[in-house]
């Protein structure tokens, strides 16, 4: 399907799959290769993401890894106030997404720091409606993630939530099936196996499987050794209609998208 999203008044085409590169300004994200704890490290990572061909830079300031301790809202805000200007200076024309589940953090990131997209990882402790109201007021593209364990429950919940967002006036919505959130290993693969069924929503899909435990646990490796498995799942996701890959390894994902795109041309 052909999709576009509105970024600062410019339409961004998602007809060809795009890559979102990850920067974590946290000390405890599950994959240490994405952690950036200094101005120089953030700037270098942002430039690397752009140079390797990513369309979006996703900045997270509160780790949601299983078993981890959530940063306070104040700490999350402080990290973003420090990090986002560094990213913008390093890549002045970057499309910046902020990974958060807190409405007030979303407001600050967009209104004070110029973030372009809100990537909502969700939280049982935070009202989804509160975030829906916030992003509909901010008028930026919104990534809606599901922690539902099965595709059937996911579709039912997405249908209800998308209608709520539409009723509030939200225009650009991207769906994330939430691999690794609220799902067993087997449930993650069951959702991946039928991922194309989410296209019935007629909205772009973001897939985030990069170096996650659904890869490393199945293969008996570590996140540091999970790039090959990640690339295999990226290929499957593209075949099933993913529009955005959220990744740690930008170059590998961009190459995957280019090869997949060539196959589509030849077809």
């Amino acid at each position: 399907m052909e999709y576009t999203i509105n970024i600062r008044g410019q339409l961004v085409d998602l007809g060809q799959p795009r890559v979102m590169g990850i920067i974590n300004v946290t000390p405890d994200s599950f994959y240490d290769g994405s952690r950036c704890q200094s101005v120089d490290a953030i700037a270098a990572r942002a430039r690397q993401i752009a140079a390797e061909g990513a369309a979006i830079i996703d900045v997270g300031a509160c780790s949601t890894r299983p078993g981890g301790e959530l940063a306070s809202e104040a700490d999350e805000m402080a990290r973003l106030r420090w990090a986002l200007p560094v990213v913008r200076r390093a890549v002045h024309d970057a499309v910046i997404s902020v990974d958060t589940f807190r409405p007030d953090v979303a407001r600050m990131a967009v209104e004070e720091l110029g973030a372009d997209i809100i990537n909502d990882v969700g939280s049982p402790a935070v009202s989804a409606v509160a975030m829906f109201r916030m992003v509909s007021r901010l008028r930026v593209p919104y990534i809606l993630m599901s922690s539902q364990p099965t595709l059937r429950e996911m579709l039912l919940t997405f249908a209800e939530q998308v209608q709520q967002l539409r009723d509030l006036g939200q225009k650009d919505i991207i769906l994330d099936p939430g691999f690794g959130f609220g799902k067993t290993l087997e449930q993650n693969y069951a959702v991946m196996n039928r991922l194309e069924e989410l296209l019935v929503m007629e909205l772009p899909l973001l897939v985030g499987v990069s170096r996650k435990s659904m890869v490393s646990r199945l293969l008996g490796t570590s996140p540091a050794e999970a790039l090959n498995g990640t690339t295999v799942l990226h290929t499957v996701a593209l075949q099933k209609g993913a529009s955005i890959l959220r990744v740690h390894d930008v170059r590998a994902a961009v190459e995957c998208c280019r090869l997949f795109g060539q196959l589509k041309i030849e077809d």
Side-chain angles (χ1 to χ4, degrees):
M1 294 185 181
E2 300 296 319
Y3 302 109
T4 59
I5 54 174
N6 190 321
I7 304 289
R8 300 185 225 132
Q10 299 294 317
L11 291 180
V12 175
D13 179 21
L14 298 180
Q16 293 296 322
R18 303 288 184 136
V19 172
M20 171 189 282
I22 299 168
I23 298 178
N24 285 314
V25 291
T26 58
D28 56 347
S29 295
F30 80 91
Y31 176 54
D32 59 11
S34 68
R35 300 175 200 159
C36 297
Q37 296 293 292
S38 70
V39 168
D40 287 346
I42 293 170
R45 174 64 176 157
R47 287 191 288 265
Q48 177 191 25
I49 288 172
E52 291 184 354
I56 304 166
I57 298 175
D58 189 55
V59 182
C62 177
S63 175
T64 53
R65 67 183 176 86
E69 183 176 347
L70 292 177
S72 69
E73 184 168 300
D75 284 346
E76 185 180 7
M77 286 184 169
R79 290 169 181 171
L80 289 172
R81 286 192 174 105
W82 167 66
L84 289 192
V86 176
V87 174
R88 185 66 74 193
R89 288 195 299 271
V91 187
H92 71 276
D93 58 349
V95 174
I96 298 176
S97 167
V98 167
D99 179 334
T100 188
F101 58 87
R102 294 174 167 132
D104 285 340
V105 173
R107 178 203 55 75
M108 180 209 72
V110 173
E111 293 185 345
E112 296 182 26
L113 302 171
D116 303 297
I117 299 171
I118 294 300
N119 181 14
D120 183 2
V121 294
S123 169
V126 177
S127 166
V129 174
M131 181 63 97
F132 294 173
R133 288 175 178 158
M134 180 60 73
V135 294
S136 65
R137 181 170 71 81
L138 295 171
R139 293 291 190 264
V140 294
Y142 176 56
I143 300 168
L144 172 63
M145 193 196 79
S146 176
S147 58
Q148 295 295 334
T150 70
L151 197 70
R152 180 180 181 278
E153 293 170 284
M154 195 179 295
L155 279 166
L156 290 171
T157 304
F158 272 152
E160 179 181 355
Q161 292 177 325
V162 168
Q163 188 58 57
Q164 289 177 312
L165 285 160
R166 295 296 193 211
D167 290 344
L168 289 165
Q170 179 65 21
K171 302 296 185 185
D172 293 308
I173 304 168
I174 298 162
L175 301 181
D176 176 359
F179 290 105
F181 290 85
K183 301 169 184 63
T184 64
L185 179 68
E186 293 75 17
Q187 286 168 336
N188 279 309
Y189 281 95
V191 170
M192 177 64 80
N193 191 44
R194 297 169 56 196
L195 186 69
E196 70 277 7
E197 294 181 31
L198 289 176
L199 297 176
V200 72
M201 299 294 300
E202 298 185 350
L203 292 170
L205 301 181
L206 178 147
V207 167
V209 295
S210 181
R211 296 183 181 268
K212 286 187 174 179
S213 64
M214 67 180 287
V215 179
S216 57
R217 280 180 55 204
L218 186 68
L219 299 179
T221 62
S222 67
E225 300 169 301
L227 175 56
N228 186 57
T230 294
T231 302
V232 171
L233 292 185
H234 282 163
T235 304
V236 173
L238 292 173
Q239 290 173 328
K240 291 178 175 288
S243 293
I244 301 172
L245 302 177
R246 181 179 180 272
V247 309
H248 300 94
D249 306 279
V250 172
R251 180 177 175 179
V254 168
E255 289 177 351
C256 187
C257 289
R258 287 185 63 190
L259 291 167
F260 175 75
Q262 187 63 37
L263 290 173
K264 287 181 68 177
I265 291 170
E266 294 299 324
D267 187 49

